[in-house]
């Protein structure tokens, strides 16, 4: 095998190793997807459900009181971290609270 052939073979091996490394890194960093947020009006609870991907997700709700006698602080309620296909539900949101925003955190 001459030097040119060896260099080409080595270059091909390096490119193949880099491609494999990139594929492994991409699959290891996958996160949940196809996520939805829902609200139960009777309990004032919010939930998140992700149905695809891997990893974990949780519901996050930012809210504040509308009572002028209470501080105007914004509060955050978190649901537990759960896997794809499981529901994360948050409670502890005060009745009559104004919801500032909701989100699904992914990891």
């Amino acid at each position: 095998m001459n030097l040119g052939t060896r260099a080409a073979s080595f270059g091909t091996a390096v490119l193949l190793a880099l491609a494999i490394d990139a594929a492994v890194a991409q699959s290891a960093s996958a996160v949940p997807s196809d996520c939805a947020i829902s609200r139960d009006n009777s309990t004032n609870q919010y939930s998140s459900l992700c149905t695809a991907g891997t990893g974990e997700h949780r519901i996050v709700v930012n809210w504040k009181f509308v009572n002028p006698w209470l501080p105007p602080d914004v509060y955050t309620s978190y649901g537990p971290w759960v896997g794809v296909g499981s529901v994360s539900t948050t409670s502890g949101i005060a009745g009559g609270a104004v919801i500032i925003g909701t989100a699904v955190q992914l990891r």
Side-chain angles (χ1 to χ4, degrees), residues 30-46:
V31 294
S33 60
D34 296 335
C35 301
I37 295 173
S38 60
R39 178 180 180 209
D40 183 336
N41 292 327
S42 65
T43 62
N44 204 30
Q45 292 181 331
Y46 285 78

Side-chain angles (χ1 to χ4, degrees), residues 2-22:
N2 66 26
L3 185 57
T5 305
R6 286 184 192 174
S9 295
F10 178 76
T12 301
V14 168
L15 288 176
L16 180 61
L18 289 174
I20 291 171
D21 186 45

Side-chain angles (χ1 to χ4, degrees), residues 77-92:
S77 296
Y78 298 93
W81 287 104
V82 296
V84 170
S86 296
V87 176
S88 177
T89 301
T90 184
S91 57

Side-chain angles (χ1 to χ4, degrees), residues 59-70:
I59 183 71
V60 180
V61 180
N62 294 313
W63 55 278
K64 68 179 182 176
F65 290 110
V66 293
N67 186 333
W69 298 102
L70 297 173

